[in-house]
Amino acid sequence: MSKELEKALEGWVASRKEGHETFIRLFEQWGKDFNKQLQEIEKLNNGFLKSVQGNLDYIERWFAKKEREFAELFRRFG
C-alpha cells in the first residue's frame, strides 16, 4: 500500500472516529437534558397534585352538583 493511500485511510478513519465520538457526546448530553426536563415536569406535576389533593372533596361536590343541575334541566326540558 502506498504511503499516500495509507495516510488517506488513516485520516478517513480518524475523521469517522471523531464524528462517532461527537455523536455519542451529543447523544449523552441530550439524554441528560431530557432527564432534567422530565424531573422538572415531575416536580410540577407533584406540586399540582398536592395543591389539588386538598380540594378533591370540594371539586367532587361541585361536579356532582353540576351533574344534578344538568340532569334536572334535561328532565324538565329534554
Side-chain angles (χ1 to χ4, degrees):
M1 200 180 314
S2 74
K3 289 285 184 188
E4 289 178 18
L5 181 58
E6 191 175 329
K7 282 188 177 187
L9 284 174
E10 286 173 356
W12 180 75
V13 168
S15 175
R16 284 197 56 150
K17 183 179 178 188
E18 182 181 327
H20 179 74
E21 289 172 352
T22 300
F23 174 77
I24 294 296
R25 278 194 306 272
L26 289 172
F27 188 75
E28 287 173 346
Q29 184 60 48
W30 173 82
K32 289 175 187 175
D33 293 344
F34 188 74
N35 283 335
K36 268 187 198 175
Q37 299 248 336
L38 284 178
Q39 289 172 352
E40 289 177 23
I41 291 170
E42 193 172 314
K43 199 181 337 179
L44 288 171
N45 284 345
N46 288 338
F48 171 74
L49 291 174
K50 281 181 184 176
S51 67
V52 168
Q53 198 169 23
N55 294 323
L56 283 180
D57 286 340
Y58 169 76
I59 292 169
E60 288 177 9
R61 286 194 313 269
W62 186 85
F63 277 110
K65 178 181 175 185
K66 294 302 171 194
E67 188 175 334
R68 286 191 305 274
E69 289 173 359
F70 278 112
E72 181 66 22
L73 286 173
F74 286 126
R75 190 179 62 76
R76 289 182 183 201
F77 303 107

